[in-house]
Amino acid sequence: MHEIGAGVRRRAQGELEIQVLSALRGAAGPATAAWVRERLGGTLAYTTVMTTLTRLQAKSAVTRERAGRSFLWKAASDEAGLAAHRMRRVLDSEADREAVLVSFVSGLPARDEELLRALLQEGREI
């Protein structure tokens, strides 16, 4: 007897969003959902890609513009913004945010910790 779904790898929470954002960052310009689907291997349902893009738009991670009867999608930020988005997703998935942040900061090299402190100080002055 075979187990249902045996051998099928389930994506981690947020992994598809990250893949979609990465695909859009690699596009020469705004792209269709069909283009994103193909870039991700063409195995996902078109509706899955559209749902993911719509969720990313609700999070302000992508923008869209009308193109005839469909939309063209574009990542709203650069690689640094995408990395920050991934970091926020990890942080959001944990129950004890303070513990995660303390662990993260305590594991930083001294130079990165100093940079973070300087950035936080600048943020207070704005």
Side-chain angles (χ1 to χ4, degrees):
M1 186 168 209
H2 292 287
E3 188 177 323
I4 295 175
V8 175
R9 185 180 86 73
R10 184 164 170 87
R11 285 185 177 82
Q13 182 179 357
E15 185 179 348
L16 182 55
E17 288 183 357
I18 291 167
Q19 291 172 344
V20 167
L21 285 169
S22 294
L24 288 173
R25 285 289 306 138
T32 64
W35 182 91
V36 171
R37 181 180 177 270
E38 286 304 313
R39 187 59 82 162
L40 298 178
T43 58
L44 293 170
Y46 179 81
T47 54
T48 300
V49 175
M50 282 299 300
T51 298
T52 303
L53 286 165
T54 302
R55 287 180 180 163
L56 287 168
Q57 181 190 22
K59 297 175 183 180
S60 300
V62 300
T63 60
R64 73 178 184 185
E65 61 186 67
R66 176 112 8 226
R69 293 176 48 192
S70 62
F71 292 102
L72 294 175
W73 302 84
K74 184 174 143 183
S77 62
D78 58 11
E79 288 298 321
L82 292 178
H85 176 75
R86 288 191 293 268
M87 292 167 65
R88 281 189 301 275
R89 295 282 301 169
V90 169
L91 185 59
D92 289 345
S93 71
E94 298 298 323
D96 190 347
R97 293 174 76 89
E98 182 177 349
V100 173
L101 287 169
V102 167
S103 180
F104 175 74
V105 172
S106 66
L108 289 174
R111 184 173 179 188
D112 289 343
E113 187 176 342
E114 290 169 13
L115 175 59
L116 181 57
R117 287 181 192 282
L119 290 170
L120 289 171
Q121 186 63 36
E122 287 176 21
R124 285 190 206 130
E125 295 171 1
I126 294 176

